[in-house]
Amino acid sequence: MSAANHATDGHARTPGPQGGANETPFRYTAPFANATEERWQARLEQAEAAGGGYRQPNPGEPGFDASRPKFYCLDMFPYPSGAGLHVGHPEGYTATDIICRFKKMKGFNVLHPMGWDAFGLPAEQYAIQTGVHPEVTTKKAIDNFRRQLKRFGFMYDWSREFATIDPDYYKWTQWIWLLAYNAWFDPKVKAARPISELEAALVSEDREITAMSADSAASGAASSASGATSSASGARVGVGVGVTKRWSACTKRERQVYLDGFRLAYLGTQTVNWCAKLGTVLANEEIIDGRSERGGHPVVRMPLKQWMFRITSYADRLLADLALVEWPDSTRTMQSEWIGRSEGAEIRFEVDGAHVENEFLSVFTTRPDTLFGATYMVVAPEHSLIARVVARGGDARLTEYVAWAKNRSDIDRQESKKKTGVSTGLFAVNPATGARIPVWTADYVLMGYGTGAIMAVPAHDERDFEFAKEFALPVLQVVDIAGVAWTGETATSGEGRAINSANTASGLSMNGMSTADAKRAAIAWLEAKGIGGLRINYRLRDWLFSRQRYWGEPFPVVYDAEGNHYPVSMTALPVALPPLADYRPIESSTPQPPLAKARDWTHTTAGAAGVDPALLPADTAVVRETNTMPGWAGSCWYYLRYCSPKDAQAFVDPAAERYWMLSRKKSAKGTGESSADAASVAAPTSYDAATCHAGGVDLYVGGSEHAVLHLLYARFWHKMLFDLGKVSTPEPMGKLFHQGLITSHAYQRADRTLVPIDEVEERGEGQCVEKATGEQVTQIVAKMSKSLRNVVNPDDVIAEYGADTFRLYEMYMGPLEASKPWNTRDIIGVFRFLQRAWRLAVDERTGDVLCAAVADATIEKQLHRTIAKVGEDIERLSFNTAIAAMIELVNAATRPSDMTDATKGGMTHDQLVRFACVLWPFAPHIADELGERLGVAGGLHGMQWPAFDPAMLVDSEVEIAVQVQGKVRARITVPTAASAAEIEAMALAHPQVLPHLGEKPPKKVVVVPGRMVNIVL
RNA sequence: GGCCCUGUGGCGGAAUUGGCAGACGCAGCGGACUUAAAAUCCGCGGCCGCGUAAGCGGUGUGUGGGUUCAAGUCCCACCGGGGCCA
């Protein structure tokens, strides 16, 4: 078969652009590779325009094959930044592309979508810098990203593409938020339920409720929701002021406030991190060392009404269900540490003092066994108790201290060596000893952890001890730790035996008990006394979901004149982001969302805004919420939308969601060869924990920088949707994989300062010197950065070698999960491999295919082994070794320099087709081109993964090592089936072994058939 | 400070279950082809010592111990690099 036979598209015979005297116009050069790739990509565009291409139909759609198993493979969608793709993007995308192409050849229905995470701070900041509307810059960046990704030839189903900024998408983001707004977490069933069910129960049972002010309600219920997981369910945390009333006796307003205290999306007054420069509030996790993660601007703390998500309700389940997913252990550990479950006790201390009466101070401690050692208490400067003391005329030093401490970052507060604080003038009563102990405020206690107050046990806590020393507060040892002498000079921490811990008056006696027993005794005593009990505390805080920015999803909420909030009806969505001439944030010391500037939009009526008339008459004047959602919002559920991206009736079509997200657990036996048997079992129709996989997406690949936040938020949304019956699996991502960071090189002077890569010259022998000074520098691995001038632009690399080479290079660099340095010099290696592979099949002078007439038995065997090895390696994401195997095959089959003599080396037509199929997932363009020249029309995507004969994987003979005392002394070739006794006899008789054997017979001979022999003397 | 990951030639890495360390690639060296160069093809290659050579001996996976017939792999301690929580 010659190339001329299928030169129908007029391109196949086009010589590589190498000039007139070129003798090898069909050589696989970079221009030839680029031309070939672009030709195949143009064809793909045509096919896509005609409804084909790599489109994957859904169940019920034309062309859908129900007999095939499904595989949903997802990349973390990118922020389309103005800078375009960096080399890190195609790393994960190539990996998933290889797996998807492989799975397709193995007979799977493959969902492999791509889209854009286009809202959020970076897009807005970029727009602000360039002075162009974010929508314009974002869409331009998307177009550029799409162009770049298409140039890599990824097998995405582009018909499913969307961006989070599309109104058709964020309409449903708002819809999900409304679901959360209209839901509460029922601690009895540990699941979300519609809030209408809570309301119905309150009405029918006419329950007694504690009516509260709007401000305290939200935080109060939030605390009780997490407290509900402990046995201390009745205990209120902090100082709550409320009146108990029957539901029927409550006003409409009181009922509303009460219900608001349960919503999963609620309005709470929070001490927030206000970044004046960015004009927005930031989540704790967006702040590093007291400055904004993005931009490094200072952040101050102030109270603000914000929309929150009650993610703490899900702390237990978010923790427990980590066991159900195939995620890297490191990621699961990070999430569980982020959730930070700790078991301890809540203890309520009575407070009395000049200004405050009948109050109590609640603390959380992991060491209730040390209660007798609590010689003073400390509350955070932000604690509500302090505010009240100040309001009732507390002394000036206290006021001053609170003002000073308020803006110190959490890090500063915890790390500063010198402890600061002032006495509040109040006293609390230690319930165990009956002693009056002073209440201090100090910034080393944070409002964000526990209750914002601690009982200080200076004898056994380092920080409490330092504080007690600083202010001459009493220290009492209550734990005797074996092997650690008590000197009074330093705190002793750890477990031991309780001492000085008995009081007949209070009835608590723990002396002699182990720490574990003492904890139990203390908790039992607290419960009996009704002043506390077992409590599970979480580090996890509720999720601050409001941002004072323009470029985000508007909240579907309006406020009446009194400031009461009302949801926009689901049927009135989307609440479209209004056009705004000046969208810049308002840089100020007080929060002012930019959307407030769109007065025509913000000031409207309930009817125009789409509020249910049953909630508020249509002509009521209302003001829209001007905060927007954070960048995380759109990425919390995009994987669901891909299942049915155009659905206008629902956020996801239930049948499509079920098909792509729900799957059976893999049977224990099924290793690798799973295509045929998986299809024979009918797809499940509903989730069953015993037989179904908890996670939906079969493989999710992305960077580990998203190990906590994005993945925790997405899991939270998914669990809400699961509870409310909107999705069919309890977890969003069944299997997760993090690709490693691609780093680069930089050079370091003797004084450890860095030198940009282009200011260094190599002088051979691995010696490098700085051009300007001649100083010797050493090569180190560093992150790619503009300042080090070591950023690699994928477009440049493709122009120089082609996309197939780029893909191959990134996969060949090393293990996918490892962080690896980019080394441009190494790219030539995989490029040469593709050249050799090409030359194996194609005459470089004529473009005709070159096939061996007769199959070489050795090559045939190696081909089978390569097919087996590459298939296994793809399944375990070991692409570097798969490529090495292909290189070995091609090297073995490569002819000597006379490349026209088809009788020497090479592969037969049939072998070349099979090889092209194996190469296709990695380097699809060259493989498709080879395939076509070999007579497979229209590309290889319809081909099956080639079969291998297991018999071909075994040799009849094997060479094994013979060791004497663990040292290799000889190698013998034995039949694979040889018995241990036969091998032993051969080994002992070997001439190279004999001299090493002593006079006496060997003590022992270890024979591992097929591996080695070890003779022990 | 605690937990986790990691350390293999000049470089990237391989060794999937404790079983021949260094696959494959880069860089390097030698040869063939060529007027020459590039390209291509063939070959060499951890380090040290001996040998003209094929080869032989020793040593070798951050350091020091241990388990084992056998350790890059398992255990303990330490050192360096990275991450997470403090």
Side-chain angles (χ1 to χ4, degrees):
Chain A
M1 168 123 3
S2 90
N5 290 350
H6 41 88
T8 46
D9 61 2
H11 290 290
R13 287 199 71 100
T14 306
Q18 288 190 326
N22 185 5
E23 289 193 351
T24 54
F26 293 92
R27 184 172 173 72
Y28 189 80
T29 60
F32 187 88
N34 269 282
T36 305
E37 289 171 2
E38 279 161 15
R39 195 164 62 246
W40 280 94
Q41 284 164 15
R43 279 207 213 174
L44 182 61
E45 290 279 333
Q46 279 182 354
E48 278 171 352
Y54 293 129
R55 187 164 296 189
Q56 169 59 55
N58 268 354
E61 289 177 355
F64 177 78
D65 184 348
S67 70
R68 293 165 176 257
K70 68 95 180 180
F71 187 71
Y72 183 1
C73 181
L74 182 67
D75 294 301
M76 288 185 185
F77 66 167
Y79 272 116
S81 85
L85 288 183
H86 56 75
V87 293
H89 286 114
E91 187 191 15
Y93 302 159
T94 304
T96 54
D97 200 57
I98 291 168
I99 294 161
C100 287
R101 285 173 186 269
F102 173 72
K103 290 283 184 184
K104 188 161 173 61
M105 280 185 155
K106 293 289 268 185
F108 284 75
N109 286 326
V110 176
L111 180 55
H112 187 35
M114 178 49 71
W116 318 106
D117 187 14
F119 269 135
L121 274 174
E124 184 165 347
Q125 285 296 101
Y126 181 76
I128 289 165
Q129 284 162 21
T130 56
V132 185
H133 193 281
E135 183 168 348
V136 175
T137 54
T138 301
K139 290 200 164 157
K140 204 173 140 195
I142 288 173
D143 288 342
N144 188 40
F145 263 60
R146 189 190 301 104
R147 173 192 67 77
Q148 289 187 299
L149 291 182
K150 289 202 169 187
R151 188 59 191 79
F152 279 96
F154 296 132
M155 197 188 74
Y156 291 121
D157 177 350
W158 286 105
S159 73
R160 292 178 188 257
E161 175 194 356
F162 62 81
T164 54
I165 57 171
D166 299 343
D168 280 348
Y169 179 77
Y170 73 69
K171 163 185 176 173
W172 297 108
T173 308
Q174 293 170 335
W175 180 85
I176 295 170
W177 185 84
L178 282 175
L179 279 184
Y181 176 89
N182 286 317
W184 68 298
F185 191 85
D186 183 349
K188 287 200 195 80
V189 293
K190 293 189 175 183
R193 294 171 63 188
I195 202 151
S196 55
E197 293 179 17
L198 173 64
E199 195 173 1
L202 290 164
V203 171
S204 69
E205 297 165 24
D206 196 18
R207 278 193 211 158
E208 221 171 46
I209 64 157
T210 307
M212 283 187 271
S213 73
D215 279 357
S216 58
S219 55
S223 306
S224 75
S226 57
T229 56
S230 77
S231 64
S233 51
R236 261 287 166 256
V237 179
V239 187
V241 185
V243 187
T244 301
K245 280 189 188 176
R246 291 218 167 265
W247 184 255
S248 56
C250 292
T251 63
K252 189 183 169 193
R253 175 88 183 118
E254 282 171 336
R255 289 175 190 174
Q256 208 52 52
V257 166
Y258 184 78
L259 286 177
D260 287 348
F262 285 88
R263 297 181 189 278
L264 286 177
Y266 68 96
L267 196 59
T269 301
Q270 292 287 319
T271 301
V272 297
N273 308 295
W274 172 249
C275 180
K277 193 76 190 167
L278 293 176
T280 189
V281 157
L282 298 171
N284 285 331
E285 37 282 19
E286 288 168 335
I287 296 164
I288 292 167
D289 296 340
R291 288 177 169 267
S292 62
E293 183 185 17
R294 214 167 278 282
H297 304 298
V299 173
V300 295
R301 300 164 62 79
M302 62 168 62
L304 195 65
K305 265 196 176 180
Q306 304 282 295
W307 286 105
M308 308 285 293
F309 266 119
R310 213 177 295 280
I311 190 172
T312 49
S313 306
Y314 280 86
D316 256 353
R317 278 169 61 192
L318 288 169
L319 188 64
D321 288 359
L322 286 171
L324 305 179
V325 289
E326 280 176 71
W327 284 21
D329 286 342
S330 58
T331 305
R332 289 192 288 193
T333 304
M334 278 164 66
Q335 289 221 347
S336 84
E337 284 177 359
W338 189 262
I339 294 165
R341 182 184 197 275
S342 59
E343 247 183 60
E346 183 196 356
I347 307 176
R348 278 182 290 157
F349 288 73
E350 278 180 40
V351 177
D352 68 340
H355 305 289
V356 187
E357 280 162 20
N358 300 325
E359 297 230 25
F360 59 81
L361 195 51
S362 200
V363 304
F364 172 78
T365 175
T366 56
R367 294 295 299 269
D369 59 301
T370 63
L371 181 56
F372 281 87
T375 53
Y376 65 101
M377 302 191 72
V378 185
V379 297
E382 302 88 346
H383 198 280
S384 59
L385 183 67
I386 299 297
R388 274 198 301 282
V389 173
V390 169
R392 291 172 211 178
D395 71 33
R397 281 184 48 234
L398 184 63
T399 316
E400 212 174 280
Y401 182 75
V402 170
W404 173 79
K406 183 177 78 167
N407 282 330
R408 298 190 74 205
S409 77
D410 287 3
I411 305 285
D412 287 345
R413 288 168 57 161
Q414 285 180 92
E415 282 191 346
S416 53
K417 282 265 175 272
K418 185 156 171 72
K419 293 282 177 284
T420 61
V422 292
S423 171
T424 61
L426 303 177
F427 286 87
V429 178
N430 183 324
T433 62
R436 284 179 88 233
I437 58 175
V439 179
W440 285 62
T441 184
D443 68 353
Y444 80 95
V445 173
L446 302 176
M447 203 54 219
Y449 186 80
T451 61
I454 62 157
M455 63 174 210
V457 184
H460 306 292
D461 180 280
E462 201 63 49
R463 288 177 303 175
D464 293 349
F465 186 84
E466 282 168 25
F467 190 83
K469 278 281 164 204
E470 185 69 35
F471 296 102
L473 291 158
V475 178
L476 174 67
Q477 185 198 9
V478 291
V479 184
D480 180 36
I481 297 159
V484 181
W486 173 254
T487 61
E489 296 302 312
T490 174
T492 59
S493 58
E495 307 217 326
R497 303 233 156 243
I499 57 168
N500 300 327
S501 295
N503 180 354
T504 46
S506 68
L508 179 59
S509 175
M510 300 182 285
N511 281 345
M513 288 184 188
S514 69
T515 296
D517 288 343
K519 281 181 184 178
R520 274 189 286 274
I523 288 166
W525 177 82
L526 289 167
E527 279 174 352
K529 285 262 190 181
I531 54 168
L534 181 71
R535 169 116 187 256
I536 313 294
N537 191 56
Y538 295 94
R539 203 188 76 94
L540 185 70
R541 306 285 87 198
D542 274 347
W543 177 14
L544 173 66
F545 201 63
S546 292
R547 294 294 184 278
Q548 289 66 47
R549 300 292 289 208
Y550 171 71
W551 195 232
E553 298 87 344
F555 284 92
V557 171
V558 298
Y559 299 88
D560 66 13
E562 284 79 49
N564 301 311
H565 50 82
Y566 301 89
V568 171
S569 305
M570 289 183 174
T571 50
L573 299 178
V575 176
L577 191 60
L580 199 65
D582 178 14
Y583 50 81
R584 287 170 302 170
I586 302 162
E587 197 182 320
S588 84
S589 53
T590 52
Q592 294 243 355
L595 271 182
K597 289 189 269 192
R599 277 193 66 87
D600 291 350
W601 178 77
T602 55
H603 290 70
T604 182
T605 61
V611 177
D612 184 349
L615 287 175
L616 203 60
D619 57 357
T620 314
V622 295
V623 180
R624 292 184 191 268
E625 170 64 69
T626 54
N627 286 298
T628 55
M629 299 185 191
W632 306 107
S635 60
C636 277
W637 72 284
Y638 73 112
Y639 56 94
L640 292 167
R641 189 64 179 170
Y642 284 135
C643 296
S644 59
K646 303 287 188 284
D647 198 305
Q649 309 306 314
F651 79 116
V652 61
D653 172 65
E657 187 274 333
R658 221 176 298 127
Y659 179 74
W660 291 114
M661 296 293 288
L662 191 57
S663 58
R664 293 194 190 282
K665 283 179 184 166
K666 277 183 206 137
S667 63
K669 291 181 221 166
T671 51
E673 299 300 302
S674 52
S675 55
D677 47 313
S680 61
V681 183
T685 52
S686 68
Y687 179 71
D688 168 14
T691 59
C692 293
H693 206 287
V697 173
D698 295 284
L699 179 65
Y700 191 33
V701 176
S704 59
E705 68 271 21
H706 297 296
V708 176
L709 300 181
H710 157 61
L711 286 163
L712 193 67
Y713 294 154
R715 291 179 65 217
F716 165 58
W717 276 39
H718 195 89
K719 285 185 182 302
M720 277 193 318
L721 291 168
F722 178 68
D723 290 351
L724 298 170
K726 306 298 182 190
V727 297
S728 45
T729 64
E731 283 285 330
M733 314 295 172
K735 183 171 178 175
L736 173 70
F737 195 92
H738 299 304
Q739 85 274 19
L741 193 67
I742 293 184
T743 57
S744 187
H745 290 295
Y747 295 86
Q748 200 171 48
R749 300 186 188 96
D751 62 1
R752 306 201 107 199
T753 53
L754 297 177
V755 188
I757 203 160
D758 57 350
E759 289 174 15
V760 168
E761 206 165 36
E762 224 176 297
R763 293 249 171 105
E765 300 285 313
Q767 303 276 302
C768 299
V769 295
E770 190 175 352
K771 282 181 198 169
T773 61
E775 187 187 344
Q776 190 165 326
V777 291
T778 49
Q779 189 183 59
I780 57 150
V781 169
K783 276 191 183 173
M784 287 192 183
S785 74
K786 280 181 189 166
S787 65
L788 292 173
R789 293 195 278 284
N790 56 8
V791 179
V792 178
N793 180 350
D795 288 345
D796 299 342
V797 180
I798 288 176
E800 202 169 335
Y801 295 99
D804 282 339
T805 297
F806 190 110
R807 293 168 55 118
L808 225 37
Y809 171 64
E810 288 212 345
M811 294 301 99
Y812 192 57
M813 287 171 79
L816 187 61
E817 68 275 21
S819 165
K820 318 156 273 259
W822 179 275
N823 198 347
T824 300
R825 198 169 62 180
D826 289 347
I827 302 173
I828 192 75
V830 285
F831 183 65
R832 285 181 192 146
F833 158 63
L834 289 182
Q835 281 189 320
R836 271 199 297 274
W838 177 258
R839 197 180 301 124
L840 203 53
V842 179
D843 188 318
E844 295 187 323
R845 293 169 308 177
T846 63
D848 293 339
V849 290
L850 286 173
C851 300
V854 184
D856 180 285
T858 318
I859 294 298
E860 179 65 15
K861 197 174 201 175
Q862 192 169 351
L863 179 59
H864 280 259
R865 289 170 183 212
T866 306
I867 292 166
K869 165 91 175 146
V870 172
E872 280 169 27
D873 284 355
I874 291 175
E875 293 275 9
R876 62 190 184 99
L877 308 179
S878 179
F879 304 117
N880 55 334
T881 53
I883 294 167
M886 289 190 282
I887 293 176
E888 285 182 270
L889 174 66
V890 167
N891 287 351
T894 292
R895 322 184 159 74
S897 52
D898 182 3
M899 58 189 97
T900 56
D901 187 350
T903 61
K904 286 184 191 160
M907 292 199 220
T908 62
H909 180 271
D910 165 63
Q911 288 174 329
L912 285 171
V913 172
R914 279 180 285 160
F915 170 70
C917 287
V918 173
L919 181 62
W920 187 71
F922 297 83
H925 308 94
I926 188 175
D928 274 337
E929 183 69 20
L930 284 173
E932 184 158 273
R933 283 170 190 266
L934 290 162
V936 183
L940 299 172
H941 67 275
M943 299 290 280
Q944 284 205 350
W945 183 255
F948 63 88
D949 178 359
M952 292 288 230
L953 308 186
V954 223
D955 284 310
S956 58
E957 286 190 325
V958 62
E959 190 192 69
I960 64 171
V962 181
Q963 298 177 342
V964 180
Q965 301 286 67
K967 282 180 184 163
V968 179
R969 297 299 181 183
R971 287 171 219 284
I972 54 176
T973 301
V974 299
T976 308
S979 70
E982 286 171 302
I983 295 170
E984 181 177 333
M986 283 177 74
L988 288 171
H990 197 279
Q992 279 171 297
V993 172
L994 287 171
H996 296 281
L997 300 177
E999 297 295 308
K1000 286 178 271 180
K1003 236 184 243 168
K1004 187 173 170 186
V1005 179
V1006 181
V1007 180
V1008 184
R1011 295 279 186 191
M1012 40 66 69
V1013 180
N1014 191 12
I1015 299 163
V1016 187
L1017 299 177

